[in-house]
Amino acid sequence: MRPASYCGVLGFKPTFGVLPLAGVLPTSASLDTAGLFARSIDDLELALTAVAAAPAGMAAARASRSLDGAGAPHPGDPPVAPRIGFARLAWEQLEAAARNAIETTSAPPRAPAR
């Protein structure tokens, strides 16, 4: 999260519905989520555990998820390769070398030749 790094701290935005939104002015059901700022990973973990342990029903107006269900794989599920996406906003304004570097770096890995 850039705002956190601009302030010299860490930021964390969990999966939608992990943190309760009770008392938060609703803006968009598909975008509203809560995040945390802290000075260390340990502090983020402590804050997340404390805030996510809110009483059941606090976020009754929106989807609620447990920390366990926040994107964690279920035991026995096959491993899934991570996916990273990027938007090509103002793509034509980038220098050719920058576009080439992004394309090369973001290309999916090729299967080994047989």
Side-chain angles (χ1 to χ4, degrees), residues 12-80:
F12 177 68
K13 181 180 173 260
T15 300
F16 289 100
V18 170
L19 298 181
L21 297 176
V24 174
L25 178 65
T27 304
S28 169
S30 63
L31 297 175
D32 290 352
T33 188
L36 301 168
F37 289 103
R39 62 183 171 188
S40 70
I41 295 287
D42 291 336
D43 288 348
L44 275 175
E45 180 181 24
L46 180 65
L48 178 64
T49 302
V51 176
M58 271 194 81
R62 306 191 197 147
S64 290
R65 297 182 183 184
S66 69
L67 281 176
D68 247 2
H74 292 93
D77 282 354
V80 177

Side-chain angles (χ1 to χ4, degrees), residues 86 88 91 96-110:
F86 64 93
R88 290 189 170 114
W91 190 248
R99 285 194 307 265
N100 186 41
I102 293 169
E103 291 289 350
T104 301
T105 305
S106 64
R110 293 184 184 155

